[in-house]
Amino acid sequence: AQSVTQLGSHVSVSEGALVLLRCNYSSSVPPYLFWYVQYPNQGLQLLLKYTTGATLVKGINGFEAEFKKSETSFHLTKPSAHMSDAAEYFCAVTYSGNTPLVFGKGTRLSVIA
Amino acid sequence: GAVVSQHPSRVICKSGTSVKIECRSLDFQATTMFWYRQFPKQSLMLMATSNEGSKATYEQGVEKDKFLINHASLTLSTLTVTSAHPEDSSFYICSAGGGLGLRTEFQETQYFGPGTRLLVL
């Protein structure tokens, strides 16, 4: 079975500050890990993913995440927050492209001017 | 990334009527499509997994006779909410995954539609 824990249902940062959203996963098989972003009343947009290969992955809008197998973590970071980053962020795990994603509960990111 | 469309984006209907939601994968042929439901300020709840040409696999607690899923082609899946009631009001989101072809990103990744807001009066 797979599971995802996102620490912090709400994270608030100042504009220009570091963004760190935490995600820990549990998986008995090599995981595929994803971060998605959701703006109000919209679907989910893929930020980045890890499947195999390089453990530091870069995504859109300046976000990146590092897969740490020893820590079972896949934390999302961005060096400098922008107002437009305010949204809901979901971490998800699966083991193939055609198996269901298991989502964390989500973290709402607020950016303060 | 790939584009997945959903239609309609918003629907208001009377209690007892049926509503059909379409999900189309525009950039790749998807072997599998998924239907999720999302309540306000909550995460996504998987309703069913649909493979092209096969019957959908429903999650525990999801009424298959109420939520009819058809995956007739590699680019189209439909969700029909039959005899809708106010408690069925929600945000429904589809995703497409398991893409065929050479592009690894389409094979490994699920791409989501923009969602359909259903309000049953």
Side-chain angles (χ1 to χ4, degrees), chain B residues 85-102:
Chain B
H85 288 94
E87 57 266 28
D88 299 323
S89 298
S90 193
F91 192 54
Y92 293 88
I93 309 176
C94 71
S95 70
L100 296 177
L102 299 177

Side-chain angles (χ1 to χ4, degrees), chain A residues 44-58:
Chain A
L44 273 65
Q45 180 182 10
L46 178 68
L47 278 178
L48 49 79
K49 68 176 183 180
Y50 168 81
T51 54
T52 59
T55 56
L56 181 63
V57 292
K58 296 184 184 298

Side-chain angles (χ1 to χ4, degrees), chain A residues 2 4-5 8 13 23-24 26 38-39 43 61 65 73 76-77 107 109:
Chain A
Q2 297 179 307
V4 172
T5 301
V13 300
C23 172
N24 287 89
S26 172
Q38 185 179 34
Y39 297 97
N61 302 338
S73 68
L76 181 71
T77 61
T107 298
L109 176 65

Side-chain angles (χ1 to χ4, degrees), chain B residues 56-110:
Chain B
T57 301
Y58 291 82
E59 295 300 297
Q60 191 172 6
V62 177
E63 299 177 59
K64 61 181 180 181
D65 294 331
K66 167 169 272 297
F67 299 100
L68 299 179
I69 291 172
N70 183 278
H71 191 165
S73 76
L74 289 170
T75 58
L76 174 64
S77 178
T78 60
L79 168 68
T80 302
V81 184
T82 62
S83 186
H85 288 94
E87 57 266 28
D88 299 323
S89 298
S90 193
F91 192 54
Y92 293 88
I93 309 176
C94 71
S95 70
L100 296 177
L102 299 177
R103 292 185 65 171
T104 306
E105 62 182 290
F106 293 160
Q107 297 169 11
E108 297 175 335
T109 307
Q110 286 183 35

Side-chain angles (χ1 to χ4, degrees), chain A residues 3-42:
Chain A
S3 66
V4 172
T5 301
Q6 289 184 242
L7 296 175
S9 59
H10 183 208
V11 171
S12 185
V13 300
S14 297
E15 191 174 20
L18 171 72
V19 175
L20 171 60
L21 304 183
R22 298 179 187 273
C23 172
N24 287 89
Y25 71 92
S26 172
S27 180
S28 57
V29 297
Y32 286 8
L33 293 159
F34 302 83
W35 276 99
Y36 289 90
V37 61
Q38 185 179 34
Y39 297 97
N41 296 309
Q42 295 186 26

